[in-house]
Amino acid sequence: MFNKKLKKLLGNTEFCKQFQSINSSLPYMYGLPKTHKVGTPLRPIISNIGSVTYKLSRWLADHLAPAVSASADSNVSNSQDFCEKVKGLNIPTGSRLVSFDVDSLFTMVPVKETIKYLEEVLPRLNLDIPVSNKKFIELVRLVLDDNVFVANDRFYRQKAGLAMGNPLSPILANLFMQYFESRLLKDIAPPGMVWLRYVDDVFSIWPEDSDFDNFFSKLNDLHPCINFKVEWEKDNKIPFLDVLVQRTSSGFRFSVYRKPTNSNSYIHYYSFHDKRVKKAVILGLYLRAYKVCSPETLDDELLNIQRIFTGLRYPEWFIHEAHMAARKTFFTKHRDKREVPKKCLVLPYNEGLTSFKNICREEGVGVAFTYPNTISKTLIRNKPKSGASVGVYTIPCKECPDTAYVGETGRNLEKRTYEHRRDIRVGNDKSAIFCHVRDYQHSMDFDRAKIVFHSDDYIKRRVVESALISTTRNINMSQGHFAFNKVISGIIKARFYKRSAI
């Protein structure tokens, strides 16, 4: 149904084909525990990765996000941007720091109202897109109309609001807040009030002689879907995002803010992870320190990072290397953008394969590692197990020695072989099996069809399928979904292939 609607909107074009869904998965809901809140409530997330609308959602979000963020003066894009904007502010005598937080913004966003506002502002955003503004809006509607998900093996439909987990949701939530500020808030905001916002979190400087109780009451009456919570500064300090803002006689001072529940539980040095991953964790913390901290607080934060990772058994030289890499990144003004490989190979982590990355990079293929024992894989079950008849399969030819058709299936081998038999009956000339039977008058041995690599993972199946096509005798008409060379294909085959004759 999604593909039909998409084709109706965009036509049978190459642009349309990049968003079409093939063997997609149903979005599933899981909960992230809010450990910093009483009772540890769960934040509901609906994962859209691999869903029917995911590719289109990503494309819409990538084009809409920069324009929406740049269209309002109140927006802050990250912690560093927040600090830069606050540095230049004056602190009037008697004013106070206050932060606002919208209660459950995503699930309370009025979708129809937000899309109507998007229709109004879209011509002013000047998006560089290959479709008309009208079709762009229809594509947004198409994504939001597909709001079915699964939880505890039961199917649900979201009736209102936006789903956390959809790439488009944060941008639309941000857009609705812009509508709220430009159309509603401006009528009650007192003169001199500072209002800086990151999605649903607001940092404000409240003027001395203004009636806050009256303002706050009106604020929560502006829209039935929006309810704000408020937090005042304590000891001239207030947290916002991951920044602790402190008022001083000379202006503002910034340091890294950590919630009281923070335990500094980062990757241990002896953990089974690639060293580049461990280095990236430390580098990221050092880089945040340089971006956020004031000169008066920077040294304390650098010492704190060193103390944390020394306690996790990291060698001093390893921490120092990450620190120097962070300094180089921060102080290099004009950095060349790193070229992202167009193709990526995802493999389970093995220390012996780290040097394999360099080989793949020379071939224009990126390598990413997955790790089997993660918290998310332990706690989240997004789909039922499919059994032993899912994976990469082979169907031998009765007349050709050691030659077979190589394919992959995410459904059932028995059903897939039935489809191949049907292709022969109806004469489907797009089928490699039918063409082989027709051209050579051979017969396929369907009774010996078997799964040679078991996996529920769609990408893994396609990777192994492509490697086997490249390294075994087969009757396939295509090279598979990935064009690996013999070296890469041989490594993949040795790692995954079930060692039995085709």
Side-chain angles (χ1 to χ4, degrees):
M1 184 63 72
F2 171 80
N3 286 344
K4 288 182 179 179
K5 291 181 179 178
L6 188 66
K7 191 174 180 180
K8 186 177 180 180
L9 278 172
L10 302 179
N12 190 23
T13 61
E14 291 300 320
F15 178 67
C16 174
K17 290 177 182 178
Q18 66 177 308
F19 306 124
Q20 288 181 341
S21 173
I22 302 174
N23 198 22
S24 59
S25 58
L26 189 67
Y28 61 94
M29 186 178 76
Y30 63 94
L32 290 180
K34 301 179 183 180
T35 57
H36 60 288
K37 293 191 175 181
V38 178
T40 318
L42 295 178
R43 176 183 286 111
I45 307 294
I46 299 177
S47 175
N48 275 257
I49 297 176
S51 70
V52 65
T53 62
Y54 183 69
K55 288 185 285 188
L56 179 58
S57 297
R58 284 290 303 271
W59 184 85
L60 292 170
D62 289 344
H63 285 77
L64 198 56
V68 170
S69 296
S71 62
D73 295 334
S74 63
N75 278 350
V76 293
S77 55
N78 51 48
S79 299
Q80 185 180 15
D81 182 40
F82 166 71
C83 293
E84 292 297 327
K85 287 183 177 180
V86 172
K87 282 177 185 176
L89 297 176
N90 293 321
I91 313 175
T93 304
S95 61
R96 300 174 64 190
L97 305 183
V98 60
S99 68
F100 300 92
D101 177 29
V102 182
D103 191 18
S104 303
L105 173 63
F106 279 61
T107 53
M108 298 302 293
V109 169
V111 176
K112 291 183 179 179
E113 197 171 338
T114 304
I115 293 180
K116 185 177 179 180
Y117 180 65
L118 177 60
E119 288 181 289
E120 294 180 24
V121 301
L122 193 58
R124 301 197 300 268
L125 297 180
N126 296 320
L127 301 183
D128 183 16
I129 51 176
V131 294
S132 65
N133 289 342
K134 183 178 179 180
K135 284 190 177 181
F136 188 89
I137 295 294
E138 290 303 315
L139 292 174
V140 172
R141 285 197 175 98
L142 181 60
V143 167
L144 297 180
D145 287 344
D146 191 88
N147 51 10
V148 177
F149 62 93
V150 64
N152 293 329
D153 297 327
R154 297 184 65 181
F155 297 98
Y156 298 88
R157 181 185 296 276
Q158 184 164 346
K159 293 183 177 179
L162 301 168
M164 295 188 71
N166 188 318
L168 196 56
S169 294
I171 293 92
L172 294 180
N174 195 9
L175 189 69
F176 172 70
M177 289 304 298
Q178 288 187 19
Y179 161 77
F180 179 86
E181 292 165 351
S182 62
R183 300 289 175 84
L184 306 176
L185 178 64
K186 67 177 184 178
D187 295 329
I188 66 168
M193 183 187 72
V194 173
W195 181 278
L196 295 175
R197 179 179 52 80
Y198 180 83
V199 189
D200 60 345
D201 292 318
V202 177
F203 172 85
S204 180
I205 301 178
W206 185 256
E208 178 185 13
D209 297 327
S210 300
D211 185 351
F212 180 82
D213 291 336
N214 182 49
F215 167 79
F216 191 62
S217 177
K218 290 181 178 179
L219 181 66
N220 280 331
D221 288 338
L222 289 177
H223 197 285
C225 295
I226 296 299
N227 183 62
F228 284 91
K229 295 178 288 186
V230 64
E231 179 182 354
W232 290 98
E233 63 173 293
K234 294 180 181 179
D235 300 325
N236 295 327
K237 298 177 182 178
I238 191 169
F240 184 75
L241 304 180
D242 58 350
V243 180
L244 183 63
V245 184
Q246 180 181 3
R247 288 198 304 165
T248 68
S249 58
S250 59
F252 289 105
R253 181 179 296 174
F254 307 102
S255 59
V256 172
Y257 173 72
R258 294 178 173 86
K259 289 185 172 68
T261 53
N262 174 65
S263 60
N264 295 322
S265 298
Y266 300 103
I267 300 174
H268 197 280
Y269 184 68
Y270 296 118
S271 176
F272 187 64
H273 282 77
D274 188 358
K275 287 186 177 179
R276 300 178 197 182
V277 174
K278 299 171 185 175
K279 183 178 179 180
V281 172
I282 307 175
L283 188 151
L285 293 179
Y286 274 122
L287 197 55
R288 179 179 66 171
Y290 281 105
K291 288 180 177 180
V292 166
C293 292
S294 301
E296 301 89 345
T297 64
L298 179 59
D299 288 342
D300 288 340
E301 178 61 21
L302 298 181
L303 289 173
N304 187 37
I305 295 172
Q306 185 174 15
R307 178 187 59 79
I308 291 170
F309 287 95
T310 299
L312 293 171
R313 299 296 184 268
Y314 281 76
E316 186 176 344
W317 63 266
F318 193 95
I319 301 173
H320 179 73
E321 280 189 2
H323 186 186
M324 292 301 102
R327 284 179 58 87
K328 181 179 179 181
T329 300
F330 180 75
F331 289 109
T332 302
K333 294 183 178 180
H334 303 288
R335 296 191 299 270
D336 295 332
K337 287 187 177 181
R338 186 176 179 182
E339 186 176 349
V340 179
K342 294 182 179 180
K343 297 180 180 178
C344 184
L345 180 63
V346 182
L347 300 172
Y349 174 66
N350 185 300
E351 192 172 357
L353 290 177
T354 53
S355 59
F356 177 55
K357 274 189 171 184
N358 298 327
I359 300 175
C360 292
R361 191 178 294 114
E362 293 175 359
E363 300 296 329
V365 178
V367 175
F369 292 125
T370 60
Y371 300 89
N373 299 322
T374 63
I375 293 177
S376 63
K377 289 181 180 179
T378 302
L379 298 180
I380 300 172
R381 181 172 63 87
N382 61 343
K383 55 185 177 181
K385 295 182 178 179
S386 303
S389 59
V390 170
V392 179
Y393 63 91
T394 58
I395 304 175
C397 174
K398 289 183 178 180
E399 281 77 19
C400 300
D402 299 325
T403 303
Y405 173 81
V406 179
E408 63 89 13
T409 180
R411 293 170 293 169
N412 183 283
L413 179 59
E414 184 178 348
K415 184 174 181 179
R416 192 73 186 97
T417 54
Y418 169 80
E419 292 172 345
H420 286 306
R421 291 175 188 266
R422 182 184 61 195
D423 287 338
I424 295 175
R425 287 200 311 271
V426 302
N428 182 5
D429 57 7
K430 294 182 179 179
S431 165
I433 287 181
F434 166 71
C435 291
H436 183 78
V437 171
R438 177 196 63 193
D439 296 342
Y440 298 97
Q441 301 299 310
H442 288 182
S443 300
M444 302 302 294
D445 194 349
F446 288 102
D447 293 335
R448 290 174 56 206
K450 62 183 178 181
I451 299 289
V452 296
F453 171 66
H454 299 276
S455 178
D456 290 336
D457 191 303
Y458 169 66
I459 299 298
K460 284 185 181 179
R461 293 198 306 266
R462 289 197 159 190
V463 167
V464 175
E465 177 196 37
S466 300
L468 290 187
I469 292 174
S470 176
T471 56
T472 60
R473 295 182 61 181
N474 61 80
I475 64 171
N476 292 62
M477 295 167 61
S478 70
Q479 63 182 3
H481 296 277
F482 299 94
F484 300 132
N485 63 23
K486 295 293 184 181
V487 175
I488 294 176
S489 296
I491 294 174
I492 297 171
K493 179 182 176 182
R495 176 68 178 84
F496 293 110
Y497 178 47
K498 183 177 179 182
R499 296 180 181 276
S500 56
I502 286 184

